[in-house]
Amino acid sequence: VLESGWQSLWSKMVEVNQVPVLTSTTVKSIKRNKEGGAGKLIAKTNGDDRVKTYDFDLLIVACNLKTALPLIE
C-alpha cells in the first residue's frame, strides 16, 4: 500500500503525465467502444448539476467493482 495514500498516486499521475483525473464525481455510465477507439464516460461532478460526457482511451476504475460493473455497457 502507498505510504502517502492513494490520493498521492493520482496527484503524481496528473503532475508527471498530465493525465486527467476526475475526483468527487458520480459516474452515470461507461460506454466502451467495442471496435476500438475512444469510449464515453458520462459523469456528474458532486456539487454541480450538469452531466458531462468525456472521451477516454484508458479508464482506471478506483472503486468497488460491484458498484462499477452495472455502469459499464
Side-chain angles (χ1 to χ4, degrees), residues 12-55:
K12 196 66 165 176
M13 287 177 68
V14 171
E15 178 187 327
V16 172
N17 301 306
Q18 287 79 46
V19 175
V21 174
L22 300 175
T23 60
S24 302
T25 300
T26 302
V27 175
K28 299 294 185 182
S29 70
I30 300 166
K31 297 181 181 182
R32 297 184 295 170
N33 185 339
K34 294 180 176 131
E35 299 171 5
K40 301 280 184 199
L41 172 71
I42 301 169
K44 183 174 106 171
T45 301
N46 298 342
D48 186 350
D49 290 334
R50 297 175 292 170
V51 174
K52 298 178 184 175
T53 300
Y54 302 90
D55 293 331

Side-chain angles (χ1 to χ4, degrees), residues 47-67:
D48 186 350
D49 290 334
R50 297 175 292 170
V51 174
K52 298 178 184 175
T53 300
Y54 302 90
D55 293 331
F56 68 87
D57 294 317
L58 173 69
L59 180 65
I60 298 171
V61 178
C63 70
N64 183 315
L65 289 179
K66 287 183 181 179
T67 303

